[in-house]
């Protein structure tokens, strides 16, 4: 079975100094770069929000990051402005290899729907197109690494497993945000979905 490496959101805003910095977010980059040589197909995801995006606290009067709001599609956490299209923060970390990349899958570009998963947006309906692309490439197994373990990595892994892919997450090549126990909860969610949790070393 053909495998793909899915590198989730290794962007400046999720690394130290960024707008939504994940602790040690940049520490995983050398390991991810080394792993790329083991896969013919490497996909990068890129969180790519328009200014005024619905997932930003600044788009909701009187709200601050960490607040929950009710969106038409359900509850949604609000974040600081991050990964705004065409900004430096939305760019990939300069240390991340680009030579082996087959596809860049952007997500979260709709003003009214946030998207953590690389497969389906937060309304849980709208597809990103990645599933079809992977199937057209004959890929049946996916290995995930990147940021953040408890949001975009976990949601992507759970969706991939639900779509019938064989899924592995290499935990020491991910880092989490851990908001109110979200890290432990995400590990349980991934395990329940049949995702294999492993370690690079
Ligand atoms: C992410 C929160 C908001 C992530 C993206 O990459 O995990 N988290 N947007
Ligand atoms: Zn985002």
């Amino acid at each position: 079975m053909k495998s793909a490496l899915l590198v989730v959101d290794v962007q400046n805003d999720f690394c130290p100094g960024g707008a939504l910095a994940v602790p040690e977010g940049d520490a995983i980059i050398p390991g991810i770069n080394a792993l790329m040589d083991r896969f013919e197909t490497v996909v990068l995801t890129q969180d790519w929000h328009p200014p005024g995006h619905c997932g930003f606290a600044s788009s909701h009067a009187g709200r601050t990051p960490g607040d929950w709001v009710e969106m038409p599609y359900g509850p949604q956490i609000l974040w600081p402005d991050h990964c705004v299209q065409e900004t430096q923060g939305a760019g990939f970390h300069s240390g991340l290899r680009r030579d082996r990349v087959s596809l860049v899958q952007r997500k979260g570009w709709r003003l009214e729907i946030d998207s953590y998963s690389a497969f389906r947006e937060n309304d849980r309906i709208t597809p990103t197109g990645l599933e079809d692309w992977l199937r057209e490439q004959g890929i049946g197994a996916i290995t995930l690494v990147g940021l953040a373990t408890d949001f975009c990595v976990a949601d992507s892994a759970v969706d991939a497993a639900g779509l019938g892919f064989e899924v592995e997450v290499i935990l020491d090549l991910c880092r989490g945000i851990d908001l109110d126990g979200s890290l432990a909860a995400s590990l349980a969610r991934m395990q329940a979905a049949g995702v294999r949790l492993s370690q690079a070393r």
Side-chain angles (χ1 to χ4, degrees):
M1 195 192 296
K2 279 218 271 181
S3 305
L5 178 65
L6 188 61
V7 180
V8 178
D9 296 2
V10 182
Q11 295 167 255
N12 292 318
D13 270 342
F14 295 120
C15 290
L20 181 39
V22 179
E24 300 182 346
D26 56 346
I28 61 178
I29 293 171
I32 293 173
N33 286 342
L35 192 62
M36 286 183 185
D37 285 323
R38 305 228 303 263
F39 291 83
E40 183 193 15
T41 307
V42 175
V43 177
L44 305 185
T45 70
Q46 188 173 29
D47 213 36
W48 191 251
H49 301 308
H53 181 58
C54 67
F56 297 165
S58 63
S59 306
H60 303 263
R63 301 296 189 152
T64 53
D67 287 354
W68 286 82
V69 288
E70 199 58 31
M71 298 291 292
Y73 54 79
Q76 157 85 45
I77 309 181
L78 297 178
W79 303 101
D81 290 23
H82 65 277
C83 297
V84 175
Q85 295 169 0
E86 301 291 358
T87 63
Q88 158 82 7
F92 293 109
H93 189 285
S94 61
L96 186 69
R97 276 176 72 180
R98 236 61 63 76
D99 58 315
R100 295 291 330 287
V101 176
S102 318
L103 178 77
V104 175
Q105 178 66 59
R106 287 177 170 164
K107 61 183 180 61
W109 49 267
R110 285 191 171 83
L111 196 60
E112 303 300 338
I113 314 177
D114 204 356
S115 190
Y116 301 152
S117 167
F119 293 92
R120 272 188 305 156
E121 302 192 10
N122 285 11
D123 62 358
R124 312 314 297 137
I125 299 166
T126 307
T128 60
L130 181 58
E131 178 194 0
D132 288 348
W133 187 86
L134 291 168
R135 293 206 195 283
E136 281 172 347
Q137 302 299 318
I139 286 158
I142 303 170
T143 296
L144 291 98
V145 295
L147 307 170
T149 317
D150 38 349
F151 289 93
C152 292
V153 174
D155 281 26
S156 299
V158 168
D159 276 355
L163 292 168
F165 293 97
E166 192 175 292
V167 184
E168 172 191 33
V169 171
I170 304 181
L171 287 176
D172 57 343
L173 295 182
C174 300
R175 288 295 185 276
I177 296 174
D178 205 11
L179 211 64
D180 301 324
S182 59
L183 191 52
S186 73
L187 298 180
R189 272 198 300 132
M190 289 192 277
Q191 248 154 357
V195 173
R196 187 153 65 91
L197 302 177
S198 68
Q199 303 283 337
R201 64 187 81 82

